[in-house]
Amino acid sequence: MNVHAPLALSLLNASASAFAADVAEALSQHPKKLSPKYFYDEAGSELFEQITRLPEYYPTRTELGILRSRGKDINAIIPKNAALIEFGAGATTKVRLLLDECDVGAYAPVDISGDFLQAQAAELRKDFPGLKVLPVNADFTAPFDLPGDIRMMPKVGFFPGSTLGNFEPHEACAFLRSARAILGKDALMLIGIDLEKDEKLLHAAYNDAAGVTGKFNMNVLVRINRELGGDFDLSAFTHRAIYNKERHRIEMHLIARKPQTVHVLGRSFAFRAGESIHTESSYKYSIERFAALARGSGWEPKASWTDADKHFSVHALMAVE
Ligand code: AVJ
């Protein structure tokens, strides 16, 4: 019997009811706001992989470029035989660059999607036979236990892709504090942060010509209809992504084209024409503003690297006592 089944099942039920509760709350409040974590069902994860290959969406390839070109510098500050703990480990493209370049003794990917995690771990074990691969099936935004095998090893956290940008600044601070507590006092954290830049570039990255980001955004309505018995008419909503300069963030919204009533979970929710569901914020930082956030969250900036155009950044943070 697959030992992970009971845990995976309880996590699955917990996330299904959390999804139902969060959607009911989101559609009852004004303005309507839903967590971007609900984008990532199988279809959503696939759509995001497509987004990372779009000409307009620069973050992924820019970060890969930094990890590739600065691998030696990063390796120079990673303790020998360290344990690398990746928060929200999706595809392993980025970590493989670190595993190729750095002398890592163990890798612990942490993610809520158990099956995907196990599949990725099995692939890694084949490609890195000397590496201990210890997947952790958990919600990385909440406290979790590290695998026993790495307890005595130096700890290096890895949080690429500017996923921290989805958190409100106070949530980003809380996440960094929680990671600090999980990783311990001498830990290092490697984190990818998207930088403020020309608004046209940002607008294009979230409103791609092929419309993939629009599909990715709409996918949460598909999911509500499938999993929560919703009757959202997708053609009655439009994708909108704008850059809110004051808040330094991209905002993704689903806009109601006309007045309508939607039924979900046996309840009805009214929409005015033009009313939005705010489905994602993606905060953009400056090097200085991120360093200040890190200092206020139990970490001391040790080094940072950017691409030549300063579009994206990778930071190394040291845990502060
Ligand atoms: C995975 C959260 C970093 O905010 O850029 C891509 C998700 N949203 N296109 C981002 C996303 C729209 C992405 N993160």
Side-chain angles (χ1 to χ4, degrees), residues 23-258:
V23 167
E25 193 201 332
L27 297 179
S28 318
Q29 59 184 249
H30 293 284
K32 295 177 168 55
K33 192 169 189 302
L34 191 59
S35 163
K37 70 182 176 188
Y38 292 122
F39 286 139
Y40 300 95
D41 60 353
E42 201 160 341
S45 300
E46 176 39 45
L47 283 164
F48 177 63
E49 285 312 310
Q50 286 176 33
I51 287 174
T52 62
R53 296 190 290 271
L54 290 169
E56 299 98 333
Y57 191 75
Y58 59 84
T60 308
R61 63 177 167 272
T62 309
E63 184 174 37
L64 282 169
I66 296 169
L67 293 173
R68 222 176 259 117
S69 62
R70 312 313 292 264
K72 287 199 173 23
D73 304 343
I74 295 172
N75 185 39
I77 57 173
I78 286 187
K80 292 292 159 266
N81 195 36
L84 192 63
I85 297 101
E86 183 170 0
F87 295 85
T92 57
T93 330
K94 291 171 187 164
V95 76
R96 285 171 179 274
L97 285 176
L98 284 187
L99 296 175
D100 283 337
E101 197 62 59
C102 306
D103 167 8
V104 167
Y107 171 57
V110 184
D111 202 89
I112 202 156
S113 59
D115 299 346
F116 186 72
L117 193 64
Q118 297 300 340
Q120 296 288 322
E123 287 303 308
L124 277 172
R125 288 192 187 97
K126 269 192 246 137
D127 303 338
F128 297 89
L131 178 73
K132 262 189 280 198
V133 181
L134 306 157
V136 179
N137 190 189
D139 173 352
F140 71 84
T141 61
F144 60 86
D145 294 330
L146 291 176
D149 293 18
I150 67 172
R151 203 144 289 145
M152 302 317 292
M153 298 171 81
K155 313 278 185 316
V156 178
F158 184 43
F159 194 37
S162 199
T163 302
L164 187 100
N166 274 162
F167 298 152
E168 297 301 318
H170 70 280
E171 294 168 333
C173 181
F175 165 76
L176 289 171
R177 283 192 178 290
S178 151
R180 166 70 186 73
I182 291 165
L183 297 172
K185 63 179 179 53
D186 307 322
L188 196 71
M189 174 71 117
L190 285 173
I191 192 164
I193 294 293
D194 197 11
L195 296 174
E196 289 171 311
K197 57 185 60 62
D198 173 353
E199 207 167 322
K200 284 195 294 307
L201 275 176
L202 285 168
H203 189 271
Y206 294 85
N207 294 282
D208 60 282
V212 181
T213 309
K215 277 205 204 102
F216 174 70
N217 197 4
M218 287 281 184
N219 179 59
V220 76
L221 301 184
V222 176
R223 203 180 162 185
I224 292 172
N225 287 354
R226 184 183 62 245
E227 296 179 28
L228 305 180
D231 62 0
F232 273 99
D233 167 5
L234 269 60
S235 67
F237 286 82
T238 44
H239 160 73
R240 178 186 294 163
I242 53 154
Y243 185 56
N244 178 332
K245 223 176 170 56
E246 290 66 44
R247 308 286 297 273
H248 309 287
R249 69 185 192 193
I250 281 279
E251 294 178 6
M252 293 224 298
H253 295 266
L254 291 167
I255 309 290
R257 288 170 182 270
K258 60 184 181 183

Side-chain angles (χ1 to χ4, degrees), residues 287-299:
I287 299 281
E288 299 69 29
R289 253 181 334 100
F290 178 68
L293 177 80
R295 284 200 183 89
S297 320
W299 297 91

Side-chain angles (χ1 to χ4, degrees), residues 252-295:
M252 293 224 298
H253 295 266
L254 291 167
I255 309 290
R257 288 170 182 270
K258 60 184 181 183
Q260 55 193 291
T261 299
V262 170
H263 306 87
V264 178
L265 299 159
R267 294 173 56 186
S268 53
F269 302 96
F271 284 82
R272 297 184 314 280
E275 187 175 352
S276 115
I277 307 173
H278 182 178
T279 51
E280 182 180 56
S281 291
S282 192
Y283 283 87
K284 311 302 174 185
Y285 289 85
S286 64
I287 299 281
E288 299 69 29
R289 253 181 334 100
F290 178 68
L293 177 80
R295 284 200 183 89

